[in-house]
Amino acid sequence: MEFAHISGHRTVSRTRTGATVTSQSTESEGSKDSSPDRDPRPVTFRIARFTPRPQSERSARTNPFSKSNPFATTGNRRARGRRWTQEYTIRIAPQCTVLDALLQIKRRVDPTLNFRYSCGHGMCGSDAVLINGRPDLLCTATIADYLSASKSIPNAFASPGVAAGNPQVQQPPAFRRTGAAATATTVPQPTPHSDSVSDSTATDLAGTPVPADPTEARRLTADTPHPPETSGHAESFIIEIRPLPGFIPLRDLIVDTNAMFEQIRRFKPYLLHDDSSADSGQANRTKAASTEPVSEYKQTPEELARYELLSTCIACGLCQGACPIYAGGEAFAGPAAMIAAARFINDSRDGHRQERLETIDQVDGIQACQSIRACTRPCPRGIDVGEEMWKLVEAVKE
C-alpha cells in the first residue's frame, strides 16, 4: 500500500517499508514562471495586401512612347491590382516567430490572408518577406527580434517609427554626432518625463537631450527611468510586413520567383566536364569507351573550402530583395545567380571555369554590381555575398 505525503510544493510517494519510490516537485497554477519572453502581449501587424486584377481576354495595347527598361524583355512588369494595408492586433508571446503570428491571424482572424511557407524551419527559403524594412524569413524571425529597433534597417520600405515599435516616434537620422557627446546619444528612450531636462543640456541631431558635461550625461543615463518590460503590456507594438522588393507580387505577401530561378539556370548550376560538352557522335562514344572511366573526383580540404559554404545557398531571394540594383533580373541577374555561378567557378572538379567567367562578364551580369554589399547582411546561411561578388570581379579582370 502506498500513500502520498504533501509538504508545500513537494510530493513524495513512499512504500510500506518507507523507501522513497518517486520524488518530484509540483507547481501550483499561481506559481508558474511568467518570464517576459513567454508572456503574451498585444502586437499589431501592419501587412501589405494585394489582389491582382482579373486577366482580360483582350490583348493589351502597347504604347511606343512609354519609357521602359532597356534591359527588359517582358515589357511592363508592374503587377496591376488593388493594393492596401491592413492591420491585425493579436496577443502573442515574443519567443514565437512571425510565421506563427501569421498562421494565427489566418486561422482565427482573416482566412483571406495569403503568404507562402513550406518547411517552417529556415531550410527551404520560400517565406522570404520584408519585415520592418529588413529582408528576412518568416520562420526564423521572432517577435522579440522586432520589438526593438536593433534588427530593423531604416529605409524607404519601412514606415517612420515602425522599426522602433511606435508609429508616433520618428526614426533617427543615419548620421550622428561623434566625440564626447556620442556616449549620451543612446541615453533615453522617449519617456513621459522627457520635458523635465535641465536647461544646461543641448540637443543632438536625433533630438535627444545631450548634457554639456560628460559626468552629467552618465548621471542622466543611470537615473533616467526606463519603461518596464512587463508593465501589463498596455501598448501595442507594430510590425510591418511587405512582400520582398524586386519581385512581382502575385497576391498579398506571395511573389513571383520565376525570374530569379531563370537567372540561376542561365549560368548552368551543375558540374561541367570536358566530355559533357562534346558532341554525342560515334567518334566521341568510341573514344569514351576506349578510355578508362573515372570513378571519383578527389579534392583536398582546401579545394572543398573554396565553395563549401556557397553550396549551402537555399535561393531564398533575401539578397535579391536587399540589392538596390536587382529588379526582376532585367538590369541585373542578381546576387543569387552570381552565388550559384561562383559555387561552380570555385569547384576544382569543374572544367569550364573560363567559360563561366565569360558568361557572367556581361552588362547585366557581374558588371552591373556596384559593390554596395547590402546583399550580405540578410543571408540566413552566413554567406558573405558581397565579398564573393568582389572575388568574381577580380577573377573576371585576371
Side-chain angles (χ1 to χ4, degrees):
M1 179 179 179
E2 298 182 359
F3 63 93
H5 175 69
I6 302 177
S7 176
H9 299 293
R10 182 174 296 274
T11 301
V12 181
S13 300
R14 298 186 177 90
T15 60
R16 185 183 305 174
T17 59
T20 302
V21 178
T22 59
S23 176
Q24 94 182 28
S25 61
T26 60
E27 297 177 344
S28 61
E29 295 182 359
S31 62
K32 291 183 179 179
D33 183 18
S34 59
S35 60
D37 292 340
R38 298 185 179 275
D39 189 12
R41 62 186 65 184
V43 179
T44 299
F45 292 87
R46 184 176 297 167
I47 303 177
R49 305 292 303 273
F50 172 71
T51 301
R53 178 186 300 178
Q55 295 292 337
S56 177
E57 299 179 356
R58 183 178 57 184
S59 59
R61 294 178 295 179
T62 59
N63 184 5
F65 301 100
S66 62
K67 296 181 180 180
S68 60
N69 193 326
F71 299 98
T73 58
T74 58
N76 188 7
R77 296 179 58 89
R78 177 177 172 83
R80 295 184 177 182
R82 178 170 175 259
R83 303 172 187 266
W84 77 100
T85 302
Q86 194 163 353
E87 294 186 357
Y88 305 91
T89 301
I90 61 174
R91 295 186 63 88
I92 190 168
Q95 83 274 8
C96 296
T97 63
V98 181
L99 177 60
D100 296 333
L102 293 186
L103 289 174
Q104 180 177 338
I105 294 174
K106 187 174 181 63
R107 293 167 180 171
R108 302 179 182 179
V109 182
D110 187 1
T112 64
L113 180 63
N114 293 274
F115 53 92
R116 179 189 288 140
Y117 79 99
S118 182
C119 70
H121 294 85
M123 300 300 296
C124 65
S126 61
D127 56 348
V129 294
L130 200 71
I131 307 177
N132 283 6
R134 181 187 191 274
D136 207 341
L137 299 179
L138 289 173
C139 57
T140 59
T142 62
I143 304 298
D145 292 336
Y146 291 95
L147 293 186
S148 62
S150 58
K151 201 176 179 183
S152 303
I153 303 177
N155 60 9
F157 300 106
S159 299
V162 170
N166 190 348
Q168 282 77 27
V169 179
Q170 299 295 326
Q171 295 178 355
F175 300 95
R176 301 179 180 177
R177 296 180 184 271
T178 58
T183 58
T185 55
T186 60
V187 175
Q189 295 180 354
T191 60
H193 306 286
S194 59
D195 296 333
S196 61
V197 182
S198 61
D199 296 335
S200 60
T201 59
T203 304
D204 65 351
L205 292 178
T208 304
V210 180
D213 188 4
T215 306
E216 181 68 16
R218 288 191 294 269
R219 188 191 64 79
L220 256 181
T221 306
D223 297 341
T224 301
H226 295 277
E229 297 181 358
T230 58
S231 60
H233 310 306
E235 60 176 341
S236 176
F237 299 92
I238 293 182
I239 296 179
E240 187 174 283
I241 307 177
R242 295 182 176 273
L244 202 63
F247 296 85
I248 302 177
L250 298 179
R251 185 178 292 273
D252 293 345
L253 302 178
I254 302 177
V255 296
D256 187 6
T257 57
N258 290 335
M260 178 182 67
F261 288 106
E262 289 176 1
Q263 294 295 339
I264 293 177
R265 287 190 293 265
R266 167 186 171 186
F267 298 110
K268 300 180 180 179
Y270 44 84
L271 285 175
L272 296 176
H273 306 291
D274 293 336
D275 54 351
S276 63
S277 61
D279 298 333
S280 58
Q282 182 66 26
N284 295 323
R285 288 195 297 268
T286 304
K287 181 179 179 181
S290 61
T291 58
E292 183 179 358
V294 179
S295 59
E296 61 181 353
Y297 295 91
K298 298 181 179 180
Q299 276 187 335
T300 62
E302 292 76 13
E303 293 173 339
L304 176 63
R306 295 176 184 173
Y307 71 92
E308 185 176 14
L309 184 60
L310 301 180
S311 62
T312 63
C313 175
I314 58 178
C316 59
L318 292 181
C319 56
Q320 314 264 94
C323 179
I325 307 173
Y326 179 79
E330 297 177 350
F332 181 34
M338 295 292 105
I339 289 297
R343 180 255 179 272
F344 294 96
I345 289 175
N346 298 329
D347 196 338
S348 61
R349 300 170 296 175
D350 192 273
H352 293 254
R353 172 183 171 87
Q354 188 60 34
E355 296 180 11
R356 293 182 182 274
L357 291 176
E358 294 175 357
T359 303
I360 67 173
D361 189 16
Q362 304 294 333
V363 177
D364 60 341
I366 197 63
Q367 298 179 11
C369 178
Q370 302 297 322
S371 299
I372 301 175
R373 301 202 176 194
C375 50
T376 298
R377 184 177 298 181
C379 181
R381 315 305 294 178
I383 302 175
D384 193 347
V385 184
E387 181 65 20
E388 296 298 331
M389 300 279 285
W390 182 250
K391 290 180 181 179
L392 289 179
V393 173
E394 292 181 340
V396 168
K397 292 180 178 180
E398 291 180 357

